[in-house]
Amino acid sequence: MHVIGSRKRKIVGGGGDHRLLLIRRMRCNQCRKIHHELPDCIVPYKRYESECLEQVVTQSETASTVAADDATLRRWKDWFQEQSTYLLGVLRSIAVRFHLNPVEKLSVPSQSAHQEFGHYVGDAPGWLAQIVRPVVNTNLWVHTRSAFLSG
Protein backbone atom coordinates (compact mmCIF):
# COMPACT_ATOMS: atom_id res chain seq x y z
CA MET A 1 0.00 0.00 0.00
CA HIS A 2 1.07 3.53 -0.52
CA VAL A 3 -0.28 6.76 0.97
CA ILE A 4 -2.36 8.86 -1.42
CA GLY A 5 -3.55 11.53 0.98
CA SER A 6 -5.68 12.03 4.03
CA ARG A 7 -9.19 12.95 5.04
CA LYS A 8 -10.69 14.58 8.09
CA ARG A 9 -12.87 12.58 10.47
CA LYS A 10 -14.81 14.00 13.39
CA ILE A 11 -15.09 11.91 16.53
CA VAL A 12 -17.05 12.54 19.72
CA GLY A 13 -15.60 11.80 23.15
CA GLY A 14 -17.42 10.58 26.25
CA GLY A 15 -17.98 14.10 27.55
CA GLY A 16 -19.46 15.27 24.25
CA ASP A 17 -16.26 16.97 23.13
CA HIS A 18 -15.55 16.86 19.41
CA ARG A 19 -12.12 16.14 17.97
CA LEU A 20 -10.92 16.28 14.40
CA LEU A 21 -8.64 13.46 13.28
CA LEU A 22 -6.60 13.23 10.12
CA ILE A 23 -7.02 9.73 8.66
CA ARG A 24 -4.47 8.47 6.13
CA ARG A 25 -5.84 7.19 2.82
CA MET A 26 -3.87 4.41 1.21
CA ARG A 27 -4.19 2.59 -2.11
CA CYS A 28 -3.43 -1.11 -2.39
CA ASN A 29 -0.82 -1.82 -5.05
CA GLN A 30 -2.51 -5.11 -5.99
CA CYS A 31 -6.27 -4.50 -5.92
CA ARG A 32 -6.09 -0.70 -6.40
CA LYS A 33 -8.75 -0.15 -3.72
CA ILE A 34 -8.55 2.76 -1.30
CA HIS A 35 -8.29 1.93 2.40
CA HIS A 36 -8.33 4.22 5.43
CA GLU A 37 -5.94 3.71 8.33
CA LEU A 38 -8.15 3.91 11.43
CA PRO A 39 -6.73 4.48 14.91
CA ASP A 40 -7.88 2.22 17.77
CA CYS A 41 -10.19 4.89 19.14
CA ILE A 42 -12.53 4.52 16.12
CA VAL A 43 -15.13 1.85 15.47
CA PRO A 44 -16.01 1.87 11.75
CA TYR A 45 -19.24 3.74 10.97
CA LYS A 46 -19.62 5.02 14.54
CA ARG A 47 -19.19 8.67 15.52
CA TYR A 48 -18.24 8.15 19.16
CA GLU A 49 -14.89 6.84 20.45
CA SER A 50 -14.64 3.09 21.02
CA GLU A 51 -14.25 3.73 24.77
CA CYS A 52 -17.73 5.28 24.82
CA LEU A 53 -19.33 2.30 23.13
CA GLU A 54 -17.40 -0.06 25.36
CA GLN A 55 -18.60 1.72 28.49
CA VAL A 56 -22.24 1.68 27.39
CA VAL A 57 -22.15 -2.00 26.41
CA THR A 58 -20.58 -3.13 29.68
CA GLN A 59 -22.51 -0.97 32.14
CA SER A 60 -26.14 -0.31 32.89
CA GLU A 61 -27.76 2.76 31.34
CA THR A 62 -27.94 4.53 34.70
CA ALA A 63 -24.17 4.09 35.30
CA SER A 64 -23.13 5.43 31.90
CA THR A 65 -21.43 8.83 31.82
CA VAL A 66 -21.37 9.15 28.03
CA ALA A 67 -22.88 12.39 26.73
CA ALA A 68 -25.46 10.84 24.40
CA ASP A 69 -29.23 10.52 24.54
CA ASP A 70 -30.95 7.38 25.79
CA ALA A 71 -32.04 6.32 22.29
CA THR A 72 -28.42 6.34 21.11
CA LEU A 73 -27.30 4.31 24.11
CA ARG A 74 -30.04 1.73 23.43
CA ARG A 75 -29.06 1.57 19.74
CA TRP A 76 -25.45 0.88 20.69
CA LYS A 77 -26.50 -1.93 23.03
CA ASP A 78 -28.77 -3.39 20.34
CA TRP A 79 -26.01 -3.07 17.72
CA PHE A 80 -23.55 -4.92 19.96
CA GLN A 81 -26.08 -7.65 20.78
CA GLU A 82 -26.80 -8.14 17.06
CA GLN A 83 -23.11 -8.18 16.08
CA SER A 84 -21.71 -10.19 19.00
CA THR A 85 -22.38 -13.63 17.51
CA TYR A 86 -20.82 -12.62 14.19
CA LEU A 87 -17.80 -10.97 15.85
CA LEU A 88 -17.22 -14.02 18.07
CA GLY A 89 -17.32 -16.23 14.98
CA VAL A 90 -14.76 -14.04 13.23
CA LEU A 91 -12.46 -14.11 16.28
CA ARG A 92 -12.77 -17.91 16.46
CA SER A 93 -11.95 -18.14 12.76
CA ILE A 94 -8.88 -15.93 13.16
CA ALA A 95 -7.74 -17.98 16.17
CA VAL A 96 -8.05 -21.21 14.17
CA ARG A 97 -6.31 -19.72 11.14
CA PHE A 98 -3.31 -18.60 13.16
CA HIS A 99 -3.28 -21.61 15.54
CA LEU A 100 -3.96 -19.44 18.58
CA ASN A 101 -5.42 -20.84 21.78
CA PRO A 102 -8.05 -18.62 23.39
CA VAL A 103 -8.43 -18.64 27.15
CA GLU A 104 -10.33 -21.68 28.43
CA LYS A 105 -14.09 -21.22 28.57
CA LEU A 106 -15.77 -20.94 31.93
CA SER A 107 -17.86 -23.86 33.17
CA VAL A 108 -20.68 -21.43 33.99
CA PRO A 109 -22.46 -19.71 31.06
CA SER A 110 -21.55 -16.03 30.72
CA GLN A 111 -23.98 -13.43 31.99
CA SER A 112 -23.62 -10.95 29.11
CA ALA A 113 -22.57 -10.92 25.49
CA HIS A 114 -19.31 -9.03 26.05
CA GLN A 115 -17.98 -11.54 28.60
CA GLU A 116 -17.42 -14.17 25.90
CA PHE A 117 -15.04 -11.81 24.13
CA GLY A 118 -12.75 -12.00 27.17
CA HIS A 119 -11.59 -15.43 25.96
CA TYR A 120 -10.02 -13.76 22.92
CA VAL A 121 -9.10 -10.20 23.91
CA GLY A 122 -9.27 -10.08 27.71
CA ASP A 123 -11.47 -7.85 29.82
CA ALA A 124 -9.14 -4.90 30.43
CA PRO A 125 -10.26 -1.47 29.21
CA GLY A 126 -9.84 -1.25 25.46
CA TRP A 127 -11.28 -4.71 24.75
CA LEU A 128 -13.60 -3.34 22.05
CA ALA A 129 -10.66 -1.88 20.12
CA GLN A 130 -8.96 -5.28 20.44
CA ILE A 131 -11.99 -6.85 18.75
CA VAL A 132 -12.34 -4.24 16.01
CA ARG A 133 -8.71 -4.31 14.83
CA PRO A 134 -8.48 -7.97 13.69
CA VAL A 135 -11.99 -8.01 12.25
CA VAL A 136 -11.33 -4.90 10.16
CA ASN A 137 -7.81 -5.98 9.15
CA THR A 138 -9.11 -9.31 7.81
CA ASN A 139 -11.75 -7.45 5.77
CA LEU A 140 -14.57 -9.14 7.69
CA TRP A 141 -16.21 -6.02 9.13
CA VAL A 142 -19.87 -5.80 8.09
CA HIS A 143 -19.96 -2.55 6.12
CA THR A 144 -23.63 -1.74 5.82
CA ARG A 145 -26.89 -3.03 7.12
CA SER A 146 -28.27 -2.92 3.56
CA ALA A 147 -25.88 -5.71 2.59
CA PHE A 148 -28.21 -8.13 4.37
CA LEU A 149 -31.39 -6.74 2.84
CA SER A 150 -32.30 -8.27 -0.47
CA GLY A 151 -35.37 -8.41 -2.48
Side-chain angles (χ1 to χ4, degrees):
M1 287 198 195
H2 63 279
V3 177
I4 60 170
S6 61
R7 66 182 289 262
K8 294 176 182 175
R9 166 83 188 267
K10 292 179 187 174
I11 190 165
V12 182
D17 54 314
H18 294 260
R19 292 188 305 161
L20 189 63
L21 302 176
L22 216 52
I23 307 294
R24 287 194 328 174
R25 294 174 45 137
M26 300 182 297
R27 184 180 304 273
C28 176
N29 294 330
Q30 295 177 351
C31 70
R32 306 295 298 159
K33 290 184 180 179
I34 295 175
H35 302 275
H36 294 92
E37 185 179 44
L38 298 179
D40 284 345
C41 63
I42 293 180
V43 174
Y45 307 103
K46 300 290 182 200
R47 292 289 168 204
Y48 281 75
E49 291 180 343
S50 62
E51 291 176 5
C52 299
L53 277 85
E54 184 177 308
Q55 179 187 3
V56 169
V57 168
T58 57
Q59 297 177 352
S60 66
E61 290 178 23
T62 57
S64 176
T65 59
V66 176
D69 60 28
D70 291 339
T72 300
L73 302 180
R74 266 192 310 279
R75 258 194 333 271
W76 290 351
K77 284 184 180 245
D78 292 345
W79 167 80
F80 187 75
Q81 284 292 103
E82 291 171 6
Q83 295 297 313
S84 62
T85 302
Y86 173 75
L87 294 173
L88 278 168
V90 171
L91 291 175
R92 283 186 195 112
S93 172
I94 292 169
V96 168
R97 184 185 307 169
F98 293 105
H99 308 290
L100 301 174
N101 294 324
V103 176
E104 291 297 320
K105 290 193 174 192
L106 301 173
S107 59
V108 178
S110 66
Q111 307 248 331
S112 66
H114 82 273
Q115 287 177 339
E116 289 192 44
F117 289 105
H119 301 297
Y120 297 95
V121 297
D123 60 354
W127 61 264
L128 183 58
Q130 296 297 317
I131 293 169
V132 170
R133 183 186 305 125
V135 175
V136 168
N137 288 342
T138 54
N139 291 324
L140 295 173
W141 190 264
V142 178
H143 295 285
T144 62
R145 183 172 172 266
S146 62
F148 294 109
L149 303 175
S150 61

